[in-house]
Amino acid sequence: MTVWERLRNPCGWRAGAKQISVDAMLPLVVVPTLAVIAAQAVLCTIIVFVTTPILVYYLYHNFLRFLLRTKFFLMWTITSVLMLMLVFEISVVPLLEILPEENLLFMVCVIGGIWCGYRAKLNADYAAQEGVLVQGLELGEGSGELCTACRRRAPPRAHHCRLCQTCILNREYHCKWLDCCIGSSNLRWYLGCLFFSAIAFIYGSNLTMTSVCHPFILIGTVLLPDDCSDVYHQLDIALCFVSALYSLLVGLVVFCYLMYHLWLLYQGTTSNERRLDAGSQYDHGILKNVSRLFCCKT
């Protein structure tokens, strides 16, 4: 806390000095550093990809979970997207292996994912602020069960979020990576973000790998990487390859979440309701800790 108080950025704004949160600034240094380390050799790549989730879990379990609204995961998302875009446009596109229409499709998906994610967070913040403003209602007003935290009657299928400090209608979970609650107010934007992001991450990864590796033709004009044994001979090519691996892993995770939420919509339920129905099977053990780290906060 002393370090946080000392890290202030003097500026010319009327409000005076602005406090810089260490947890929000950490990903700006950690993510690019890990990418450069992973690009040194095959062994370094394996070590970084294995130890990074453990390191993030250690930081969360010992420090970040004590912060009410940490920006660490949101800044990790922003830093990762910016880094992958810069590597693709600065290092991969100049190799002249990618067609202009392929680059255009990739950028459309990236911009679509960013816009949908922004709208999802904006709608969630607006709904949370609106919910906080009406917390002064008397206990007899409204409908549904009485929320002991809000001290008011919430609508049916609304659940309280301790981070947003209000009840969210059709609440899924509090997404760490967007730093907002997912509910009825922003679910469609969140699904759009998952859809465009999954395409951008996986498609961008394939374009990068087929540019820096020796590709082979799968069907028609569809290329897949074949031999990537010589990518570590040059640092910038190795950085492209590591970024492609990172993008592929993230894209697969995002795609799984998209399929999961589409399945929940088909079932007519939410992930929060499924957790509540699961009861004690989900309320303890390492499963809860892992889900809180890489997925959400209950």
Side-chain angles (χ1 to χ4, degrees):
M1 297 301 295
T2 303
V3 175
W4 289 6
E5 289 294 331
R6 300 301 182 188
L7 285 179
R8 292 180 174 273
N9 179 25
C11 56
W13 302 104
R14 293 183 178 180
K18 301 293 183 180
Q19 185 175 1
I20 300 176
S21 178
V22 175
D23 60 308
M25 300 300 295
L26 196 59
L28 297 176
V29 178
V30 173
V31 175
T33 302
L34 290 176
V36 173
I37 294 175
Q40 301 301 317
V42 179
L43 182 60
C44 294
T45 302
I46 297 175
I47 293 176
V48 168
F49 276 85
V50 171
T51 58
T52 297
I54 301 175
L55 174 63
V56 175
Y57 177 80
Y58 175 81
L59 290 174
Y60 168 77
H61 185 74
N62 292 276
F63 304 103
L64 299 177
R65 68 189 181 98
F66 299 108
L67 302 177
L68 185 61
R69 289 292 293 268
T70 177
K71 301 295 183 181
F72 176 84
F73 297 97
L74 175 62
M75 291 304 301
W76 188 288
T77 301
I78 296 174
T79 306
S80 298
V81 171
L82 291 178
M83 183 192 71
L84 294 177
M85 284 183 59
L86 289 176
V87 170
F88 184 83
E89 295 296 332
I90 296 178
S91 299
V92 179
V93 173
L95 297 177
L96 302 179
E97 299 288 341
I98 299 175
L99 298 176
E101 51 269 26
E102 292 176 332
N103 189 19
L104 177 62
L105 177 60
F106 170 74
M107 292 305 301
V108 168
C109 293
V110 171
I111 295 174
I114 293 175
W115 173 252
C116 290
Y118 169 75
R119 292 292 301 181
K121 181 170 174 54
L122 186 66
N123 287 9
D125 293 341
Y126 176 77
Q129 293 175 3
E130 193 176 47
V132 171
L133 291 177
V134 300
Q135 285 186 15
L137 293 175
E138 296 181 3
L139 299 182
E141 297 185 10
S143 60
E145 298 182 357
L146 177 65
C147 177
T148 56
C150 294
R151 303 302 299 168
R152 66 184 181 92
R153 296 193 181 276
R157 300 191 68 184
H159 300 277
H160 185 80
C161 175
R162 65 181 183 87
L163 298 179
C164 298
Q165 299 181 356
T166 187
C167 289
I168 306 297
L169 183 62
N170 293 333
R171 180 177 182 267
E172 297 284 347
Y173 46 73
H174 190 96
C175 180
K176 287 176 176 291
W177 308 102
L178 293 180
D179 190 31
C180 67
C181 255
I182 307 302
S184 60
S185 64
N186 63 346
L187 180 59
R188 61 176 182 174
W189 290 108
Y190 181 66
L191 292 178
C193 178
L194 294 179
F195 175 75
F196 284 110
S197 298
I199 296 177
F201 281 121
I202 297 176
Y203 186 55
S205 174
N206 181 67
L207 290 177
T208 302
M209 285 191 177
T210 53
S211 298
V212 301
C213 301
H214 300 285
F216 72 95
I217 300 176
L218 179 63
I219 301 175
T221 58
V222 178
L223 299 178
L224 290 179
D226 185 15
D227 183 13
C228 300
S229 58
D230 56 350
V231 295
Y232 291 96
H233 295 168
Q234 193 172 340
L235 181 59
D236 57 341
I237 301 298
L239 185 60
C240 295
F241 177 73
V242 170
S243 300
L245 285 180
Y246 180 44
S247 179
L248 178 61
L249 293 176
V250 174
L252 292 177
V253 173
V254 172
F255 177 77
C256 291
Y257 271 102
L258 176 62
M259 294 296 101
Y260 173 64
H261 279 285
L262 292 178
W263 179 72
L264 289 177
L265 287 176
Y266 175 77
Q267 295 290 326
T269 183
T270 65
S271 58
N272 189 67
E273 291 173 347
R274 290 185 62 85
R275 283 197 302 269
L276 294 177
D277 293 338
S280 60
Q281 295 181 0
Y282 186 84
D283 288 339
H284 62 276
I286 192 172
L287 178 61
K288 180 177 181 180
N289 294 329
V290 173
S291 65
R292 283 186 171 183
L293 173 61
F294 295 103
C295 164
C296 57
K297 287 186 178 180
T298 56

